[in-house]
């Protein structure tokens, strides 16, 4: 059949913006012909700008705004794009179907809920609601109170969700993600079925349903698939590398049912969410699934200096899979990235704090600096040093360390040893015991504090008589744990006291009470490492508590985000940028993570995480690693191996810095009074004036 192409001219104002604000590669991608298009956008290459101009171009061509679907991964990204689009096309920007996959699914399902057995006024369960409903489903399936080793509701929630989003059978997911729970598989499957029934009966959907029911609508109701194929003439997907099997199946099914216009935008080298079910092949094999697809490359980096870009490119070049990269910086020259080996984690923390203060003295706001790490527990010692130096910070990798429930539990062990009449800490510890609720905890507390020595009264028959019969064995073990903690001389050796907590029954409590138990135990290990700096338990607890950090207050109080340093895992830092970036704890088995290295494709994924970390830096990049590592409570201090992600990069691409040590003079000359306490290169590690030397 013969085709005639109608040619359109962009409005004069928009045409000028295309010419002035886009480079040639960006312009080619934004004005790509209809069909399947893949836009590979390197870090800092103007991805958001290109997507926005692409939508503006389509609208200027005459494509109705409400026939364009723009799927993003955050509401913030959608708002930003629609805002920018409004500057290009005015009010039409608000008619675009822009939002997260779940947002779009919710809108579509409201008009089709009855086809699926729901009412249009269905409610959406949040995470806490899901857990509550799952507990009822566990009761339905007979999985409640069977054994303390049975999976918890939060674990079941993860397994069911992961199976849904990866489009894998639940049996397979349990075998690969929770092999220790395989014996419970029949009950787990019953829970999943009961959970689905309860949602339907209560006219509720959880977040996953907004996608699974959307796909079910397309699969089971051909008229709905045809309708959405007509509705969405163009589909654009932001962060294609982060899509999972469920999401990609939905959008590719709709595109195929319509004109076949799908534009995928992303960077395969920033695919770092496999643990959430993201499928790397969704972007890597896009050209294979769509042989006629055009591929556009955005390789000019406007964020980072040439030195940082060269380092970044050299790193990702070691991956076995991925599209080839030829990244170029549009910036002027800056300093080489700096690699520093420190003696241990304490010196690493001191070095980072010193460099942050130096940069701040040179008018770099704290908010323009970030410390990134692979694992949240790698920030523990650093947080302690920041508190000691009164440097305000915010944590984007979860809760601040001393706010976390398991850390507060450990501190409660320490506090009752230090102050046996600490009611809040006793109550916190008592209710950790199965069968002991708030009322019994209060009764036990009243009994022991009526005695002259509460710790001695804890072990009496009178106290044991208050404890429920089924809990007495665990209570006796708890008393024994406290005695072991006291035997370490905790007042003078707080680290040994925390090690004793780790050797007692508390790790078992963590596994029974909390999710992500292994990470929480590592947190406690790092707490022991931090405590090793102190020769007084009272001083350790006082510094942490008086800093206001334990109960969620700011470490130092400025409400201006420009005056607050950012601490973040690399995963939480994706999509962000800072002038100065510090990447810490770069040792093998830490970064890359040992467990990830045991999985197929794990090394490549870990290197992509490193690539994301170093590409966040605009002007200066420092990478550090401690030469020795101590695992609190488990074994001696050992020599570490620098991360392979450092050693595999040619030494010409970074500057290796050797630390020197200089001690502040106690009797400085008057002429030196105005000198800042930390200045100059080579880097010098100096103790605080108040520290013991």
């Amino acid at each position: 059949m013969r085709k005639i192409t109608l040619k359109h001219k962009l409005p004069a104002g928009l045409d000028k913006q295309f010419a002035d604000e886009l480079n040639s590669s960006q312009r080619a991608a934004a004005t790509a012909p209809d069909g399947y298009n893949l836009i590979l956008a390197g870090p800092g290459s103007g991805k958001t700008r290109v997507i926005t101009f692409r939508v503006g171009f389509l609208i200027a061509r005459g494509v109705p705004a409400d026939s364009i679907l723009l799927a993003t991964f955050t509401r913030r990204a959608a708002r930003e794009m629609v805002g920018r689009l409004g500057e290009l096309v005015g009010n039409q920007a608000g008619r675009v179907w822009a939002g997260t996959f779940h947002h779009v699914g919710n809108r579509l399902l409201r008009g089709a809920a009855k086809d699926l057995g729901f009412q249009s006024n269905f409610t959406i369960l949040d995470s806490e609601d899901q857990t509550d409903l799952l507990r009822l489903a566990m009761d339905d399936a007979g999985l409640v109170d069977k054994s303390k080793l049975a999976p918890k509701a939060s674990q079941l929630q993860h397994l069911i969700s992961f199976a849904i989003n990866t489009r894998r059978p639940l049996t397979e997911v349990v075998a690969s993600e929770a092999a220790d729970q395989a014996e419970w598989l029949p009950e787990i499957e019953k829970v999943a079925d009961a959970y689905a029934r309860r949602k339907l009966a209560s006219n509720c959907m959880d977040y996953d349903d907004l996608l699974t029911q959307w796909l079910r609508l397309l699969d089971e109701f051909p008229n709905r698939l045809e309708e959405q194929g007509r509705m969405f003439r163009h589909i654009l997907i932001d962060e294609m590398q982060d899509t999972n099997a469920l999401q990609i199946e939905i959008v590719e099914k709709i595109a195929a049912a319509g004109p076949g216009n799908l534009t995928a935008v992303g960077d395969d080298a920033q695919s770092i969410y496999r643990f959430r079910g993201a499928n790397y092949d969704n972007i890597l094999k896009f050209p294979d699934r769509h042989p006629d697809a055009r591929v556009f490359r955005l390789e000019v980096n406007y964020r980072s200096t040439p030195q940082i870009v060269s380092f970044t490119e050299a790193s990702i070049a070691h991956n076995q899979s991925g599209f080839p990269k030829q990244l170029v910086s549009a910036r002027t020259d800056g300093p080489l990235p700096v690699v520093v080996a420190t003696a241990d984690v304490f010196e690493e923390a001191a070095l980072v704090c010193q460099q942050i203060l130096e940069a701040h003295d040179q008018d770099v706001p704290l908010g323009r600096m970030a410390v990134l790490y692979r694992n949240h527990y790698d920030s523990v010692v650093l947080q302690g040093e920041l508190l000691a130096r009164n440097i305000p910070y915010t944590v984007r990798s979860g809760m601040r360390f001393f706010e976390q429930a398991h850390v507060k539990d450990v501190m409660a062990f320490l506090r009752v040893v230090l102050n046996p009449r600490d009611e809040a800490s006793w109550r916190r510890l008592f209710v950790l015991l199965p069968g002991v609720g708030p009322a019994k905890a209060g009764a036990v507390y009243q009994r022991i504090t009526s005695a002259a020595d509460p710790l001695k009264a804890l072990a009496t028959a009178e106290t044991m008589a208050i404890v429920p019969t089924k809990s007495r064995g665990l209570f006796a073990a708890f008393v024994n744990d406290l005695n072991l903690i006291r035997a370490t001389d905790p007042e003078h050796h707080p680290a040994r006291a925390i090690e004793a907590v780790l050797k007692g029954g508390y790790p078992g409590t963590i596994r029974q009470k909390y999710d992500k138990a292994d990470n929480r135990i590592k947190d406690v290990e790092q707490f022991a490492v931090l405590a090793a700096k102190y020769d007084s338990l009272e001083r350790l607890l006082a510094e942490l508590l008086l800093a206001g950090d334990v109960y969620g207050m700011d470490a130092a109080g400025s409400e201006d985000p420009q005056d607050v340093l950012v601490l973040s895992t690399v995963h939480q830092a994706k999509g962000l940028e800072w002038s100065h970036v510090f990447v810490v704890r770069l040792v093998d088995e830490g970064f890359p993570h040992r467990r990830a290295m045991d999985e197929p494709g794990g090394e490549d994924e870990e290197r992509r995480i490193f690539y994301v970390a170093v590409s966040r830096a605009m002007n200066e990049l420092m990478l550090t690693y401690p030469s020795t590592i101590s695992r609190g409570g488990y074994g001696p201090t050992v020599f570490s191996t620098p991360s392979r992600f450092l050693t595999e990069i040619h030494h010409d691409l970074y500057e290796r810095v050797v630390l020197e040590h200089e001690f502040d003079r106690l009797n400085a000359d008057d002429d030196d009074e105005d000198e800042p306490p930390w200045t100059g290169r080579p880097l010098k590690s100096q103790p605080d004036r108040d520290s013991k030397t």
Side-chain angles (χ1 to χ4, degrees):
M1 179 183 295
R2 182 184 175 194
K3 294 183 179 179
I4 298 177
T5 302
L6 291 176
K7 297 181 179 180
H8 301 267
K9 283 188 176 182
L10 292 174
L14 189 59
D15 187 52
K16 187 175 188 307
Q17 287 180 290
F18 268 76
D20 292 346
E21 299 183 29
L22 301 180
N23 64 34
S24 58
S25 298
Q26 293 172 330
R27 203 155 42 244
T31 60
D34 289 356
Y36 290 90
N37 297 299
L38 175 61
I39 302 174
L40 297 173
S45 62
K47 170 179 67 69
T48 299
R49 180 185 300 272
V50 169
I51 295 174
T52 304
F53 272 82
R54 171 69 176 165
V55 176
F57 170 76
L58 293 173
I59 293 173
R61 269 184 43 201
V63 177
D66 57 4
S67 71
I68 299 172
L69 170 60
L70 172 56
T72 66
F73 273 82
T74 65
R75 288 177 293 179
R76 178 185 58 81
R79 287 195 300 268
E80 181 182 357
M81 290 183 190
V82 171
R84 291 192 187 185
L85 184 60
E87 298 173 3
L88 296 178
V89 299
N91 293 335
Q92 291 189 80
R95 297 172 52 211
V96 174
W97 281 69
T100 64
F101 280 91
H102 296 89
H103 169 77
V104 174
N106 177 53
R107 286 183 63 184
L108 291 169
L109 289 172
R110 292 294 171 184
K114 290 186 177 180
D115 291 350
L116 302 166
F118 292 84
Q119 299 300 311
S120 60
N121 63 341
F122 63 84
T123 52
I124 300 173
L125 303 171
D126 63 18
S127 181
E128 187 175 348
D129 296 332
Q130 292 175 49
T131 303
D132 291 342
L133 202 60
L134 263 171
R135 289 195 179 101
L136 295 175
M138 291 170 70
D139 197 14
D140 296 341
L143 195 55
V144 174
D145 294 332
K146 271 202 165 189
S147 165
K148 67 179 182 179
L149 299 178
K152 299 187 294 293
S154 59
Q155 187 177 17
L156 291 179
Q157 187 175 333
H158 167 72
L159 292 172
I160 294 169
S161 177
F162 195 79
I164 287 170
N165 285 286
T166 57
R167 303 285 282 157
R168 293 164 57 192
L170 186 56
T171 53
E172 181 182 314
V173 168
V174 171
S176 64
E177 303 295 320
D180 58 327
Q181 301 293 343
E183 64 178 294
W184 301 100
L185 183 58
E187 288 86 353
I188 292 173
E189 291 181 312
K190 289 179 182 177
V191 170
D193 292 339
Y195 178 53
R197 288 195 300 271
R198 281 187 171 273
K199 287 186 292 183
L200 183 61
S202 57
N203 194 36
C204 295
M205 294 190 192
D206 62 21
Y207 292 123
D208 291 333
D209 288 324
L210 299 177
L211 301 183
T212 56
Q213 297 295 343
W214 184 3
L215 181 58
R216 182 184 158 210
L217 195 68
L218 302 177
D219 285 339
E220 298 182 11
F221 301 91
N223 61 312
R224 294 293 186 180
L225 175 60
E226 182 182 350
E227 175 185 73
Q228 292 186 32
R230 290 194 309 269
M231 182 185 306
F232 299 123
R233 291 174 53 181
H234 281 269
I235 301 174
L236 296 92
I237 308 299
D238 184 26
E239 304 288 8
M240 182 67 165
Q241 75 278 356
D242 294 335
T243 56
N244 58 40
L246 179 57
Q247 291 162 333
I248 199 65
E249 187 173 347
I250 289 171
V251 295
E252 291 194 337
K253 193 179 288 285
I254 295 172
N261 296 323
L262 175 61
T263 297
V265 187
D267 182 1
D268 61 295
Q270 295 189 58
S271 177
I272 62 173
Y273 289 113
R274 181 169 59 173
F275 69 96
R276 290 183 186 172
N279 189 341
Y280 180 55
D281 285 347
N282 286 354
I283 188 167
L284 188 64
K285 295 186 177 179
F286 187 89
D288 297 335
R289 295 196 305 277
H290 309 290
D292 296 332
R294 305 169 194 84
V295 179
F296 300 87
R297 299 177 185 274
L298 308 181
E299 296 177 323
V300 179
N301 185 313
Y302 294 92
R303 172 188 299 155
S304 306
T305 63
Q307 288 72 19
I308 294 173
V309 169
S310 295
F311 186 94
T312 301
E313 182 180 19
S315 170
I316 203 64
H318 288 274
N319 263 12
Q320 299 298 309
S321 62
F323 296 105
K325 304 286 185 293
Q326 292 183 337
L327 306 176
V328 178
S329 173
R331 300 272 311 278
T332 56
D333 279 345
L336 286 169
V338 170
V339 175
V340 190
T342 63
D344 53 29
V345 295
F346 301 111
E347 188 172 80
E348 181 181 48
L351 168 68
V352 170
C353 287
Q354 175 178 309
Q355 294 299 297
I356 287 167
L357 290 171
E358 284 189 9
H360 191 250
D361 287 343
Q362 296 167 8
D363 297 326
V364 180
L366 287 177
R368 297 299 296 139
M369 293 184 271
V371 183
L372 307 182
Y373 34 84
R374 173 63 179 84
N375 313 290
H376 180 56
Y377 50 76
D378 289 336
S379 71
V380 174
V381 173
L382 176 62
Q383 290 194 50
E385 186 72 12
L386 291 167
L387 286 171
R389 295 185 185 233
N390 202 34
I391 299 174
Y393 68 93
T394 183
V395 179
R396 294 190 179 178
S397 51
M399 297 179 70
R400 293 158 72 91
F401 178 72
F402 301 108
E403 296 173 11
Q404 300 176 98
H406 55 292
V407 179
K408 291 184 181 180
D409 292 345
V410 174
M411 291 182 70
F413 278 104
L414 304 180
R415 290 171 65 177
V416 298
V417 171
L418 185 66
N419 171 21
R421 297 187 181 277
D422 185 329
E423 180 175 4
S425 295
W426 277 121
R427 287 178 176 269
R428 183 178 192 93
L429 293 175
F430 291 151
V431 297
L432 291 176
L433 300 172
V436 177
K440 286 293 183 185
V444 174
Y445 173 76
Q446 292 297 329
R447 170 69 188 86
I448 65 173
T449 54
S450 65
D453 186 344
L455 289 169
K456 185 179 292 186
L458 194 68
T460 63
E462 291 82 359
T463 301
M464 184 67 79
I466 302 173
V467 179
T469 304
K470 65 179 181 180
S471 303
R472 289 176 183 174
L474 291 171
F475 189 84
F478 165 70
V479 173
N480 185 61
D481 286 349
L482 277 180
N483 289 332
L484 292 174
I485 295 169
R486 295 173 66 194
T488 64
D489 187 13
E491 175 52 31
H492 299 100
H493 302 286
R496 292 182 189 173
I498 298 174
E499 291 168 7
V501 174
L502 283 165
K503 292 175 182 176
Y506 184 64
T509 300
I510 287 181
R511 296 189 184 283
Q512 181 181 358
K513 185 176 179 64
Y514 300 121
D515 57 3
K516 299 181 180 178
D518 289 341
N519 284 346
R520 293 177 188 265
I521 291 172
K522 286 184 181 295
D523 280 345
V524 180
E525 292 173 0
Q526 289 300 307
F527 190 13
V529 173
L530 173 62
K533 285 184 63 177
Y534 295 83
D535 56 9
S536 164
L537 176 58
E538 182 177 7
R539 182 166 153 256
L540 168 65
L541 294 178
E543 286 200 8
L544 299 179
L545 290 165
L546 292 176
D549 195 48
V550 175
Y551 295 106
M553 298 168 63
D554 288 336
S558 171
E559 296 182 358
D560 182 0
Q562 290 298 306
D563 287 334
V564 180
L565 175 73
V566 174
L567 307 187
S568 177
T569 61
V570 181
H571 287 91
Q572 291 291 328
K574 186 170 177 290
L576 304 175
E577 62 185 24
W578 294 273
S579 172
H580 291 46
V581 169
F582 303 83
V583 186
V584 299
R585 209 63 66 88
L586 282 162
V587 296
D588 258 14
E589 296 197 359
F591 198 166
H593 195 284
R594 176 184 55 80
R595 194 179 308 162
M597 296 296 289
D598 295 334
E599 301 174 357
E603 181 171 335
D604 275 15
E605 171 114 344
E606 289 293 298
R607 191 176 285 104
R608 291 195 294 269
I609 298 171
F610 180 73
Y611 170 87
V612 169
V614 297
S615 62
R616 300 307 94 198
M618 301 170 66
N619 301 313
E620 295 196 20
L621 173 65
M622 175 174 282
L623 306 113
T624 67
Y625 64 91
S627 298
T628 59
I629 291 286
S630 172
R631 294 185 64 205
Y634 292 88
T637 297
V638 297
F639 287 102
S640 65
T641 302
S643 171
R644 68 195 66 189
F645 301 151
L646 292 177
T647 58
E648 68 191 9
I649 296 178
H650 196 277
H651 58 81
D652 287 346
L653 295 177
Y654 60 86
E655 179 183 5
R656 170 73 71 170
V657 174
V658 178
L659 286 181
E660 294 181 354
H661 293 265
E662 178 179 292
F663 292 86
D664 289 340
R665 288 171 293 168
L666 297 180
N667 298 308
D669 295 335
D670 291 341
D671 293 342
D672 295 334
E673 287 182 357
D674 292 333
E675 287 187 7
W678 301 283
T679 58
R681 282 178 181 263
L683 298 179
K684 298 178 181 180
S685 177
Q686 300 166 302
D688 292 339
R689 295 181 187 274
D690 294 334
S691 65
K692 294 183 178 180
T693 60

